[in-house]
Amino acid sequence: MFKKSFFITFLLLVSTAFAYDLGLITDHNFYAVNESIFAVGGVKINVTPISNVSVVFSVINQAGTAVLTATFVTNSSGQFNSTFQLTATGNYTLRANVSGDVVNHFIKVLAYDDIGASTDHSTYTSGGTGTITVNVEDVNDAGVSSQSVTVT
């Protein structure tokens, strides 16, 4: 009898690419035009911070146009940060991209920074009348016009 021997040869391909765990936050969710916005992001694999990784950071407006793009390198804690200002109102997407792994964070930029209200008297009697004055201000404490106010 003849014995046949078979040899099976195979090639195992293993990807050396890693999926990064990305995080991205800001100090607030709402900002005024020209207010400083502080964003911080982190890059990890599992729970281990990854240093010296290039991060492409973008700020994208409602039309889908990048109004700010920068590249950062993570520090020894796996973090990067950016402080910037936006000059137009609207909804914005902040995006961090590391080798195709992406995380988004959303903020809104308003025309005003502060709303203050005051009355013309400290106390009122039943049936009396009064005046409420509303001030809407930007980050430089300058008045902002054309803002709708509803008093209920």
Side-chain angles (χ1 to χ4, degrees):
M1 287 241 175
F2 293 101
K3 285 188 173 181
K4 292 187 178 181
S5 297
F6 292 97
F7 293 95
I8 299 174
T9 306
F10 65 92
L11 179 62
L12 177 62
L13 298 175
V14 177
S15 173
T16 57
F18 299 101
Y20 292 103
D21 297 325
L22 305 176
L24 181 60
I25 59 171
T26 54
D27 53 342
H28 304 290
N29 290 319
F30 297 93
Y31 296 90
V33 168
N34 295 319
E35 183 177 358
S36 290
I37 300 167
F38 179 71
V40 63
V43 179
K44 295 180 180 181
I45 295 179
N46 296 322
V47 296
T48 305
I50 306 299
S51 61
N52 298 317
V53 173
S54 291
V55 178
V56 178
F57 176 75
S58 303
V59 179
I60 303 161
N61 66 14
Q62 293 175 168
T65 303
V67 296
L68 171 74
T69 300
T71 301
F72 300 103
V73 176
T74 57
N75 63 19
S76 60
S77 299
Q79 293 185 335
F80 67 94
N81 64 63
S82 177
T83 301
F84 58 96
Q85 297 173 332
L86 295 170
T87 59
T89 61
N91 297 314
Y92 290 86
T93 302
L94 280 56
R95 178 171 295 155
N97 183 331
V98 178
S99 300
D101 292 326
V102 175
V103 65
N104 292 321
H105 180 74
F106 305 98
I107 62 170
K108 184 170 191 141
V109 177
L110 305 168
Y112 57 88
D113 177 52
D114 192 26
I115 300 173
S118 61
T119 59
D120 59 343
H121 302 293
S122 58
T123 61
Y124 295 89
T125 59
S126 179
T129 61
T131 302
I132 298 174
T133 303
V134 177
N135 295 311
V136 180
E137 299 173 339
D138 66 12
V139 294
N140 298 314
D141 295 327
V144 178
S145 63
S146 302
Q147 300 301 307
S148 178
V149 177
T150 303
V151 179
T152 56

Coordinates of all heavy atoms in Angstrom, one line a residue, residues 21 54 81 97:
D21 N -8.7 54.0 22.2 CA -9.8 54.5 22.9 C -9.6 56.0 23.0 O -8.6 56.4 23.6 CB -9.9 53.9 24.3 CG -10.1 52.4 24.3 OD1 -10.9 51.9 23.5 OD2 -9.5 51.7 25.2
S54 N 0.2 61.1 17.3 CA -0.3 62.3 16.6 C -1.8 62.2 16.6 O -2.4 61.2 16.2 CB 0.2 62.3 15.2 OG 1.6 62.5 15.2
N81 N -4.3 69.0 24.5 CA -5.3 70.0 24.7 C -5.1 71.2 23.8 O -4.1 71.4 23.2 CB -5.3 70.5 26.2 CG -4.0 71.2 26.6 OD1 -3.6 72.2 26.0 ND2 -3.2 70.6 27.5
N97 N -8.9 62.7 15.7 CA -8.7 61.6 14.8 C -7.3 61.1 15.0 O -6.3 61.8 14.9 CB -8.9 62.0 13.3 CG -8.8 60.9 12.4 OD1 -8.1 59.9 12.6 ND2 -9.4 61.0 11.2

